[in-house]
Amino acid sequence: MSTNGTDSTKIPAVSNPLAEKPSEIASNINYHAKFTPHFSPFKFQPEQAYYATADSVRDRLVQQWNETYEHYHEVDPKQTYYLSMEYLQGRALTNAIGNLNLQDAYADALNKLGHDLENIREQEKDAALGNGGLGRLASCFLDSMATLNLPAWGYGLRYRYGLFKQRISKEGQEETAEDWLEKFSPWEVVRHDIVFPITFFGHVEVTHTGFRKLVGGEVIQALAYDVPIPGYKTKNTNSLRLWDAKAVAQDFDLFQFNDGQYETAAQLHSKSQQICAVLYPGDATENGKLLRLKQQFFLCSASLQDIYHFLAIPESPIAPDIIARFKERRDEKGSWNWSDFPTKVAVQLNDTHPTLAIPELMRLLMDVEGLGWDEAWDITTKTIAYTNHTVLPEALEKWSQVVMKKLLPRHMEIIEEIDKRFMAMVSSTRSDLESKLSSLRILDNNPQKPVVRMANMCVVSAHTVNGVAQLHSDILKAELFVDYVSIWPTKFQNKTNGITPRRWLRFCSPELSSIITKWLKTDEWVTNLDLLVKLRQVLYSNDDLQLQCVNQFADNTELQAEWASAKMANKRRLADYILQVTGLTIDPDSLFDIQVKRIHEYKRQLMNILGAVYRYKKLKEMSSEERAKTTARTIMIGGKAFATYTNAKRIVKLVNDVGAVVNSDPEVNKYLKVVFVPNYNVSVAEMLIPGSELSQHISTAGMEASGTSNMKFSLNGCLIIGTLDGANVEIREEIGEDNFFLFGATADEVPKLRKDRENGLFKPDPRFEESKEYIRSGAFGSYDYNPLLDSLEGNTGYGRGDYFLVGHDFASYMDAQAKVDEAYKDKKKWLRMSILSTAGSGKFSSDRTIAQYAKEIWNIKACPVP
């Protein structure tokens, strides 16, 4: 029975996996409720209805999946394999039925069963496979690969507990394990026939034929789980393959167990469960470092491995792994040469986490396939490409040589040989770089802390290195990798990031999407985002002998009214959500000002809350008449602080402490509210971004590689206050300088400003000092914020000296915020700017980004299923 009076038992339970009509879909859902049971019978509550609905959608996806890979199998195109430690997928149901163009049919079908699609959608938990922009970018890329009909796979790890679920208490952020797999995920298909052995530790031996090989060690099994990735209105359905770790029955010591040694008996089973338990486990201890490195190698080896002893061709068109798939197709078509490998396989490393794919591919080619070094190196360098996502030193991974040699002795040998040959090449061809060789080489042999520099290995080994925004790529070429550029000037490219317009506008803001479609007279913008530029089409008139310029859309009062109505609908939906998760009532008529992203000092959430503190203090000092003239504002901040990042956690607590005081102050809370949005994830973003009007992207210039949430906000008609950092630079160029609230130092000014600070030349703005002192006064509680505020003071030293220039940029930040207040008072002008923001967002589609990767890095072509 359903929950709203409709009797679901009246709907026949009939299997109809490819149903498109609502009545047939309802029957198929009912079929799964009865014959694919996950719960006790006789219940059809929202949770049961969600799983039955997901099973019904998956029927069609599996059909398209099989057709896609049968087609790839027959055509044998070159394919891309995208390796990433993170995928921030978000909910799959809305995205799947939207891409299948069945959302209305499923809504009607669920109504017939007594349920509402919106309510059923809410039953799905976000897959806890990522944390921030890196993982969300990877998921946008997968969507675009499928939509563009590109033959491509994603590879990742199946984290059981994710990073963490964030809870806010009086103590600040608390972390608990994610429970997304507490029951199960209906979207994944376990492939019990696809299991690879992954070896850790052991030692290297030389065989009688002279080959080196790894023997002994600890063997963990990698088991494949596949998640279908449908393209938008296309038959192509690609795959995200997630690896889980397990031990086999023979690794369970029955004798020890019966002897009462229960933990020892199941030791390898316990170790295997650790590998995919948590995203980014703490690495302060050697065990933590070993586990992180295990995770990275586990991903790389499982994704690349040739199962040398399993040459039988699997019946399924979904072949087991990269090398086996290559060999299988070559065998079917006659003889094959390893030199063909890069013409059929492209491997993209998403940041440095999958760097071990380089020595692992070398090992497989040499130790398993018997190739010599030169041939294996030629294949590897033509196969691997690397995307850099950061210039932050702490994010450019460096692994202890001792840990690497202990865990992966054969791979360490290969890394040492790559390093040795690179140095020899530089010494023989570039004597001018001899003095810089110690910083260019892969191995840093500092006796106190010898490390392997993973970014250096990627640059040395990959055929292409790309940054993710023009400014970022320029910094890579001019600073971080400048000497490598002189060696390989054509190796470096830019690929400005993008976002999928499906999830980030079409599905999350249907009201605004409908308006865009109505005024453009087409919905083709969903797959050709450049069409949005027509929203800034200009008409010229010659009234009264004076040439006038009118924007046909942005200045149209009818469109503005519809736009305002859509934005208000999204704001009200967001206000309802905030009430639900925080208990706080916010005013939809106030300016919704949002900053959501990982909590980090360089992203400067601290500047945001200092600005809010100053605003609150000034409001307290005003008369009631003066307050009535101000722009009412609701400031929302969300994001997770890494569990061991003390200052980031202090920032989270400060935001909550400020909010507790401001929101309960009857004199002020009509004009200002400060909200911390807990447990920020994709589904929360799908609520926040459409409801936003101003978004803060205020990182220190030169430190944010790109950012993609700025693109999502801009696409949804939200205005940005930001620095000239990352993709902000290109967003401002595309939407127009007049529609962007700019402040702060530029990237080329930052080094001098830091030096000036060290030399005591910094003169703080009085507003900056006033905000800090107000916090120190105890106005927001008794918690000791001195360590956090001390990081903004002093001239140098660890944790001091305001490395991220909050103090320097605060004055121009507050001036820009004053301009925001004034602009918001002119509703017509604000709506015009909002429309032009959306109109200028066409460049930032991940379809454009992936099309460039396909053509300029991977050399792959569309392979549409007929």
Side-chain angles (χ1 to χ4, degrees):
M1 295 289 290
S2 72
T3 55
N4 69 357
T6 303
D7 189 351
S8 62
T9 60
K10 293 180 180 178
I11 305 293
V14 179
S15 174
N16 198 334
L18 302 183
E20 294 186 2
K21 295 178 181 177
S23 59
E24 295 173 347
I25 290 173
S27 290
N28 198 48
I29 293 172
N30 220 13
Y31 172 83
H32 281 291
K34 286 182 169 55
F35 298 109
T36 314
H38 305 297
F39 301 91
S40 301
F42 313 120
K43 283 186 180 179
F44 199 62
Q45 302 298 321
E47 185 178 37
Q48 289 86 359
Y50 160 67
Y51 282 103
T53 302
D55 285 336
S56 172
V57 176
R58 199 180 74 172
D59 285 346
R60 176 172 284 274
L61 293 179
V62 168
Q63 171 70 17
Q64 293 191 181
W65 222 354
N66 291 335
E67 289 177 357
T68 300
Y69 286 101
E70 283 171 8
H71 181 62
Y72 291 171
H73 193 69
E74 291 169 5
V75 176
D76 190 24
K78 183 177 183 181
Q79 297 193 47
T80 290
Y81 304 92
Y82 195 83
L83 273 58
S84 178
M85 286 294 286
E86 291 189 49
Y87 290 91
L88 207 54
Q89 291 288 91
R91 289 173 174 150
L93 179 59
T94 305
N95 195 69
I97 62 175
N99 276 4
L100 294 169
N101 201 27
L102 291 172
Q103 57 268 64
D104 292 341
Y106 266 87
D108 290 348
L110 285 165
N111 283 336
K112 291 178 186 296
L113 293 165
H115 288 284
D116 174 71
L117 175 59
E118 188 65 24
N119 188 32
I120 296 305
R121 185 181 75 92
E122 293 296 319
Q123 305 303 311
E124 183 176 357
K125 294 180 178 180
D126 280 34
L129 300 172
N131 172 38
L134 183 83
R136 186 52 237 169
L137 179 76
S139 294
C140 282
F141 279 4
L142 293 185
D143 180 88
S144 287
M145 290 170 189
T147 298
L148 295 173
N149 300 315
L150 292 170
W153 291 60
Y155 282 103
L157 295 183
R158 185 178 178 263
Y159 303 108
R160 183 165 184 81
Y161 301 115
L163 186 71
F164 58 81
K165 183 184 288 186
Q166 183 190 54
R167 181 176 171 270
I168 302 299
S169 70
K170 288 184 179 180
E171 305 304 314
Q173 171 181 291
E174 295 180 358
E175 303 92 18
T176 59
E178 285 274 12
D179 59 354
W180 77 287
L181 283 176
E182 197 80 345
K183 291 189 172 73
F184 66 101
S185 169
W187 303 105
E188 60 183 21
V189 176
V190 59
R191 305 290 184 186
H192 292 290
D193 57 327
I194 300 175
V195 183
F196 306 163
I198 313 293
T199 304
F200 302 110
F201 307 110
H203 63 279
V204 180
E205 285 186 357
V206 182
T207 68
H208 67 281
T209 56
F211 283 96
R212 303 181 74 81
K213 68 173 184 177
L214 186 66
V215 296
E218 176 183 289
V219 180
I220 303 290
Q221 307 299 319
L223 173 64
Y225 284 75
D226 284 351
V227 179
I229 308 294
Y232 180 73
K233 293 185 179 180
T234 178
K235 291 182 181 179
N236 286 53
T237 299
N238 288 342
S239 188
L240 168 60
R241 177 159 288 177
L242 302 171
W243 300 112
D244 200 4
K246 69 170 193 171
V248 295
Q250 68 191 42
D251 294 321
F252 183 84
D253 193 318
L254 202 58
F255 178 82
Q256 286 185 328
F257 189 86
N258 288 328
D259 193 41
Q261 302 177 56
Y262 306 128
E263 288 81 9
T264 306
Q267 192 173 51
L268 199 60
H269 287 258
S270 175
K271 286 184 177 181
S272 68
Q273 289 179 357
Q274 294 168 10
I275 291 176
C276 293
V278 174
L279 169 66
Y280 301 141
D283 60 352
T285 64
E286 182 174 345
N287 280 341
K289 290 181 174 64
L290 272 172
L291 181 55
R292 276 213 195 186
L293 198 57
K294 269 188 174 183
Q295 287 183 328
Q296 294 187 0
F297 179 68
F298 190 79
L299 166 66
C300 295
S301 182
S303 302
L304 285 169
Q305 183 177 174
D306 162 41
I307 306 176
Y308 188 68
H309 299 292
F310 303 100
L311 292 179
I313 299 169
E315 293 180 6
S316 167
I318 303 181
D321 72 312
I322 294 171
I323 291 182
R325 188 178 304 114
F326 170 76
K327 291 172 69 174
E328 168 197 332
R329 291 181 178 171
R330 302 286 76 69
D331 282 341
E332 288 186 357
K333 298 174 188 305
S335 62
W336 48 272
N337 295 310
W338 278 109
S339 58
D340 294 335
F341 189 78
T343 70
K344 292 296 180 181
V345 174
V347 174
Q348 187 71 38
L349 309 183
N350 191 28
D351 216 352
T352 53
H353 308 124
T355 302
L356 289 170
I358 295 162
E360 173 66 351
L361 183 53
M362 288 292 291
R363 183 190 72 82
L364 294 168
L365 293 171
M366 291 190 300
D367 298 4
V368 179
E369 295 301 330
L371 275 60
W373 179 278
D374 291 340
E375 189 178 2
W377 180 246
D378 185 61
I379 292 165
T380 298
T381 57
K382 288 178 177 175
T383 300
I384 302 281
Y386 160 57
T387 300
N388 173 279
H389 284 277
T390 186
V391 296
L392 293 176
E394 68 267 27
L396 291 168
E397 290 186 297
K398 298 179 179 68
W399 285 104
S400 160
Q401 291 185 28
V402 174
V403 172
M404 185 80 75
K405 193 169 292 187
K406 178 180 180 182
L407 185 69
L408 302 168
R410 176 62 178 131
H411 296 80
M412 190 61 198
E413 285 187 346
I414 293 170
I415 292 167
E416 289 170 342
E417 186 67 19
I418 295 172
D419 182 60
K420 174 184 167 186
R421 290 178 181 238
F422 169 69
M423 288 196 299
M425 182 273 289
V426 173
S427 297
S428 64
T429 61
R430 291 295 302 275
S431 56
D432 57 312
L433 291 178
E434 286 271 12
S435 61
K436 297 181 178 180
L437 202 49
S438 61
S439 63
L440 289 175
R441 62 181 299 190
I442 296 165
L443 300 180
D444 179 350
N445 290 325
N446 182 324
Q448 278 74 45
K449 193 178 180 182
V451 295
V452 181
R453 301 174 176 129
M454 305 303 262
N456 288 24
M457 179 154 41
C458 288
V459 173
V460 168
S461 308
H463 63 80
T464 304
V465 177
N466 73 280
V468 290
Q470 192 61 59
L471 175 65
H472 171 234
S473 297
D474 290 345
I475 290 171
L476 292 183
K477 289 194 283 188
E479 298 175 28
L480 193 65
F481 298 143
V482 59
D483 293 315
Y484 293 116
V485 173
S486 73
I487 299 171
W488 299 294
T490 61
K491 180 177 283 198
F492 297 84
Q493 297 185 11
N494 174 59
K495 294 289 171 280
T496 297
N497 283 340
I499 56 171
T500 167
R502 274 73 65 183
R503 185 179 289 272
W504 294 114
L505 181 54
R506 175 67 186 86
F507 303 149
C508 74
S509 185
E511 296 94 342
L512 199 61
S513 297
S514 297
I515 291 167
I516 293 169
T517 296
K518 171 189 169 183
W519 286 82
L520 292 182
K521 296 183 172 60
T522 179
D523 66 353
E524 290 183 8
W525 60 268
V526 180
T527 51
N528 182 6
L529 206 60
D530 288 335
L531 293 176
L532 292 181
V533 76
K534 292 185 178 180
L535 288 175
R536 64 180 181 208
Q537 190 169 316
V538 171
L539 293 178
Y540 293 96
S541 63
N542 205 2
D543 299 336
D544 301 322
L545 301 178
Q546 186 174 359
L547 188 66
Q548 292 185 336
C549 169
V550 178
N551 189 299
Q552 183 181 353
F553 295 103
D555 291 316
N556 186 294
T557 54
E558 184 184 348
L559 172 56
Q560 286 187 356
E562 293 179 11
W563 200 271
S565 176
K567 291 297 289 185
M568 181 53 72
N570 286 327
K571 290 179 72 177
R572 289 197 175 112
R573 195 178 296 127
L574 175 53
D576 290 343
Y577 176 77
I578 295 298
L579 178 62
Q580 173 193 330
V581 296
T582 69
L584 187 66
T585 300
I586 60 176
D587 180 7
D589 288 322
S590 66
L591 169 61
F592 279 14
D593 168 356
I594 298 177
Q595 184 184 21
V596 281
K597 50 186 77 226
R598 181 165 46 95
I599 309 295
H600 197 294
E601 287 169 283
Y602 89 83
K603 294 178 185 284
R604 300 200 295 193
Q605 287 93 349
L606 184 53
M607 176 182 284
N608 188 345
I609 197 61
L610 285 171
V613 165
Y614 185 80
R615 180 180 289 268
Y616 173 63
K617 187 172 186 293
K618 294 300 117 179
L619 284 167
K620 289 288 286 180
E621 294 167 359
M622 290 178 187
S623 66
S624 56
E625 292 79 15
E626 288 174 317
R627 284 189 205 113
K629 296 176 184 176
T630 63
T631 298
R633 192 184 289 225
T634 300
I635 299 171
M636 294 175 241
I637 298 175
K640 294 179 179 179
F642 196 71
T644 56
Y645 191 170
T646 305
N647 254 7
K649 295 183 79 168
R650 288 181 180 131
I651 293 169
V652 172
K653 178 156 176 57
L654 178 59
V655 173
N656 281 281
D657 285 351
V658 171
V661 172
V662 171
N663 301 337
S664 59
D665 188 330
E667 287 185 327
V668 168
N669 62 17
K670 183 179 176 182
Y671 305 102
L672 178 64
K673 289 239 171 80
V674 175
V675 184
F676 188 88
V677 185
N679 203 41
Y680 179 62
N681 59 23
V682 175
S683 293
V684 177
E686 289 172 353
M687 195 73 65
L688 287 164
I689 290 170
S692 63
E693 294 174 290
L694 179 77
S695 184
Q696 304 206 29
H697 300 274
I698 56 178
S699 51
T700 314
M703 305 207 75
E704 185 74 86
S706 166
T708 53
S709 67
N710 44 8
M711 301 170 186
K712 295 160 196 164
F713 282 104
S714 184
L715 180 62
N716 278 270
C718 175
L719 302 184
I720 290 176
I721 180 170
T723 52
L724 284 179
D725 194 29
N728 279 0
V729 177
E730 291 161 83
I731 290 173
R732 183 168 173 262
E733 289 171 356
E734 294 294 318
I735 69 171
E737 296 178 7
D738 294 341
N739 304 310
F740 188 105
F741 297 98
L742 179 66
F743 76 94
T746 59
D748 58 339
E749 294 170 340
V750 165
K752 181 179 184 301
L753 290 169
R754 286 185 177 137
K755 198 71 180 171
D756 288 348
R757 182 76 192 232
E758 281 186 27
N759 294 330
L761 301 177
F762 171 61
K763 299 288 188 294
D765 185 87
R767 293 170 289 185
F768 181 57
E769 297 299 293
E770 200 173 336
S771 298
K772 290 187 295 175
E773 289 312 306
Y774 199 44
I775 294 169
R776 283 194 168 111
S777 74
F780 304 106
S782 59
Y783 182 84
D784 182 11
Y785 281 108
N786 281 310
L788 177 61
L789 299 174
D790 286 349
S791 72
L792 303 174
E793 298 176 344
N795 294 325
T796 189
Y798 181 76
R800 291 176 63 78
D802 193 12
Y803 183 78
F804 301 104
L805 302 181
V806 175
H808 177 273
D809 283 357
F810 192 75
S812 60
Y813 172 72
M814 295 305 296
D815 293 344
Q817 288 286 20
K819 291 177 182 175
V820 170
D821 288 334
E822 284 306 306
Y824 195 70
K825 291 175 181 176
D826 185 343
K827 297 299 183 188
K828 185 176 175 65
K829 177 184 177 183
W830 189 274
L831 283 165
R832 183 183 196 276
M833 295 167 73
S834 175
I835 295 167
L836 290 174
S837 177
T838 298
S841 296
K843 174 180 178 178
F844 304 105
S845 169
S846 52
D847 296 348
R848 184 268 312 154
T849 312
I850 286 299
Q852 291 178 340
Y853 272 99
K855 181 180 180 181
E856 298 165 17
I857 296 180
W858 303 331
N859 190 28
I860 65 170
K861 293 181 171 60
C863 189
V865 176

